[in-house]
């Protein structure tokens, strides 16, 4: 069993195989890297929440999931991000066993909620454009239902370690906590396998299926709507580019973390250096910066209010370029709607 070490300094903390986890300089570098991610994450996600409260135009059902993601990412940054900066600067985890459990639970709760919200956004977009259930208007009750499901799903799968199925433990270089991937106990292994399936594989499958259906629908529409100026084709390409960007960002943020966890579970004898184990953790936490940039600040409606807020009221240069993606979605909605 991996030893529970919570108050060792940078020079005395060792990895699971006896080697020094990291030098003092290494811890400082990790602290700086985490600060580079955490600072912008707090600013960007807070801005999304504030401008949504300030401007009624943004409080539309389709935007609720975006705000929910900002709340979850802000929670991740305020717990896992800030604590990682502080603990790496100190060179050790200073909050004790109870603090480790609470930090692991909080970061996992916010992180999985954010991940599920990414899948929720994909499903909502697919339903709005493709209308698989017919002419059903997307309303507040649908938006709130999806948000509630994302939190309930995350809570359901992050509570078990508090009651004995799985556990939260120090990870990587020993300055943050997460579900314990290293424990060989069959009960813990069963939890990790279930956690991987429902908290990574299921959301990823929903993302691929939803965006695949969306792209197929837009492709069919572009074949039917032969516009002389090529607006539909351009819009389809822009939406395709955004979909690829969203999927790649998801994979970059979460696939290394999930892959390393599965590697350790399926090959218990594999030797993973603490620093190698830390990199996927930081990539997962970096999603708190990528998400608001891709899903919100590339959204013209949010950008219209968020950028002036960040610039203290100064209006940026107006973007005269038409939104091909919006045009495509409007045309797709009308073309695929049943008569």
């Amino acid at each position: 069993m991996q030893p529970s070490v919570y108050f060792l300094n940078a020079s005395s903390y060792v990895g699971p195989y006896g080697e020094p986890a990291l030098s003092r300089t290494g811890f400082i570098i990790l602290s700086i890297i985490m600060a580079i991610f955490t600072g912008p994450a707090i600013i960007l996600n807070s801005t999304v929440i504030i401008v949504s409260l300030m401007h009624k135009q943004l409080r539309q059902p389709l935007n609720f999931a975006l705000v929910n993601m900002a709340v979850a990412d802000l929670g991740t940054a305020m717990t896992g991000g800030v604590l990682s900066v502080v603990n790496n600067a100190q060179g050790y985890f200073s909050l004790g066993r109870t603090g480790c459990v609470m930090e692991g639970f909080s970061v996992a709760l916010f992180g999985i909620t954010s991940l599920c919200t990414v899948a929720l956004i994909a499903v909502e977009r697919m339903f709005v454009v493709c209308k698989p259930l017919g002419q059903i208007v997307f309303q507040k009750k649908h938006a709130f239902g999806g948000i509630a499901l994302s939190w309930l799903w995350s809570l359901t799968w992050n509570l078990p370690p508090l009651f004995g199925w799985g556990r939260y433990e120090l990870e990587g270089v020993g300055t943050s906590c997460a579900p314990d991937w290293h424990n060989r106990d069959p009960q813990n292994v069963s939890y990790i396998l279930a956690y991987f399936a429902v908290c990574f594989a299921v959301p990823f499958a929903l993302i691929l299926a939803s965006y695949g259906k969306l792209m197929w629908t837009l492709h069919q529409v572009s074949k039917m709507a032969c516009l002389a100026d090529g607006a539909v084709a351009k819009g389809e390409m822009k939406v395709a580019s955004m979909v690829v960007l969203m999927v790649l960002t998801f994979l970059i943020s979460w696939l290394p973390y999930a892959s390393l966890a599965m590697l350790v579970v399926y090959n218990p004898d594999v030797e993973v250096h603490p620093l190698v184990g830390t990199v996927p953790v930081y990539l997962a936490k970096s999603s708190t910066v990528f998400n608001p940039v891709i899903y919100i600040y590339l959204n013209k409606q949010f950008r219209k209010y968020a950028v002036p807020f960040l610039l203290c009221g100064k209006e940026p240069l107006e973007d005269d370029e038409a939104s091909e993606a919006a045009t495509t979605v409007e045309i797709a909605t009308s073309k695929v709607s049943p008569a």
Side-chain angles (χ1 to χ4, degrees):
M1 181 180 296
Q2 183 178 347
S4 299
V5 183
Y6 296 95
F7 295 98
L8 297 180
N9 59 37
S11 60
S12 61
Y13 180 82
V14 295
Y17 303 103
E19 75 282 8
L22 208 59
S23 67
R24 179 62 180 156
T25 301
F27 277 108
I28 295 298
I29 292 174
L30 285 182
S31 180
I32 293 172
I33 292 174
M34 202 63 230
I36 291 173
F37 284 122
T38 301
I42 293 175
I43 294 172
L44 295 178
N45 288 295
S46 296
T47 298
V48 171
I49 298 169
I50 293 171
V51 297
S52 297
L53 295 174
M54 291 174 58
H55 300 284
K56 185 178 180 180
Q57 298 90 328
L58 296 177
R59 297 196 292 273
Q60 304 298 322
L62 280 173
N63 289 338
F64 290 176
L66 296 174
V67 178
N68 184 62
M69 182 167 60
V71 171
D73 284 340
L74 179 61
T76 303
M78 293 295 291
T79 53
V82 171
L83 286 177
S84 291
V85 173
V86 173
N87 288 326
N88 278 308
Q90 296 176 136
Y92 60 93
F93 190 87
S94 59
L95 300 180
R97 173 62 190 167
T98 301
C100 178
V101 172
M102 296 310 299
E103 191 236 7
F105 170 75
S106 299
V107 174
L109 175 66
F110 289 125
I112 297 302
T113 299
S114 176
L115 188 155
C116 289
T117 305
V118 173
L120 174 64
I121 291 170
V123 173
E124 287 182 353
R125 289 177 175 178
M126 185 271 292
F127 268 86
V128 169
V129 175
C130 305
K131 298 185 181 298
L133 299 181
Q135 288 283 33
I136 296 179
V137 179
F138 189 79
Q139 301 175 358
K140 287 184 179 181
K141 63 181 181 181
H142 302 123
F144 284 129
I147 290 171
L149 179 61
S150 69
W151 285 97
L152 182 61
W153 189 263
S154 180
L155 185 64
T156 299
W157 292 100
N158 285 300
L159 276 177
L162 302 182
F163 298 96
W165 189 30
R167 67 173 188 171
Y168 293 108
E169 187 58 88
L170 288 171
E171 63 180 350
V173 295
T175 53
S176 62
C177 295
D180 187 3
W181 317 108
H182 297 277
N183 194 315
R184 310 292 182 248
D185 181 77
Q187 193 176 32
N188 187 75
V189 171
S190 67
Y191 170 73
I192 295 302
L193 292 174
Y195 194 79
F196 170 83
V198 300
C199 293
F200 176 79
V202 170
F204 185 52
L206 286 174
I207 290 170
L208 289 182
S210 298
Y211 282 137
K213 173 67 173 175
L214 178 77
M215 290 307 304
W216 173 252
T217 300
L218 294 182
H219 178 67
Q220 294 300 105
V221 169
S222 69
K223 288 168 63 177
M224 291 187 292
C226 301
L227 299 184
D229 59 1
V232 174
K234 290 180 181 178
E236 184 186 0
M237 288 303 298
K238 185 167 184 177
V239 173
S241 300
M242 286 298 296
V243 168
V244 171
L245 181 60
M246 292 168 186
V247 173
L248 284 178
T249 302
F250 181 91
L251 291 176
I252 291 172
S253 298
W254 292 103
L255 185 59
Y257 193 61
S259 299
L260 181 63
M262 290 300 97
L263 173 64
V264 172
V265 169
Y266 283 108
N267 186 6
D269 296 326
V270 65
E271 295 188 6
V272 179
H273 189 277
L275 184 58
V276 175
T278 297
V279 173
V281 176
Y282 279 42
L283 286 175
K285 291 179 179 178
S286 71
S287 66
T288 59
V289 177
F290 298 149
N291 285 340
V293 170
I294 293 175
Y295 287 89
I296 297 167
Y297 287 91
L298 292 183
N299 179 316
K300 290 183 68 176
Q301 189 181 26
F302 267 98
R303 190 169 68 244
K304 176 182 176 182
Y305 298 101
V307 174
F309 179 85
L310 289 171
L311 297 178
C312 301
K314 182 180 178 182
E315 291 289 338
L317 294 175
E318 269 195 46
D319 184 6
D320 295 327
E321 183 183 356
S323 176
E324 297 92 342
T327 303
T328 306
V329 169
E330 290 176 7
I331 296 174
T333 303
S334 61
K335 289 289 184 180
V336 302
S337 299

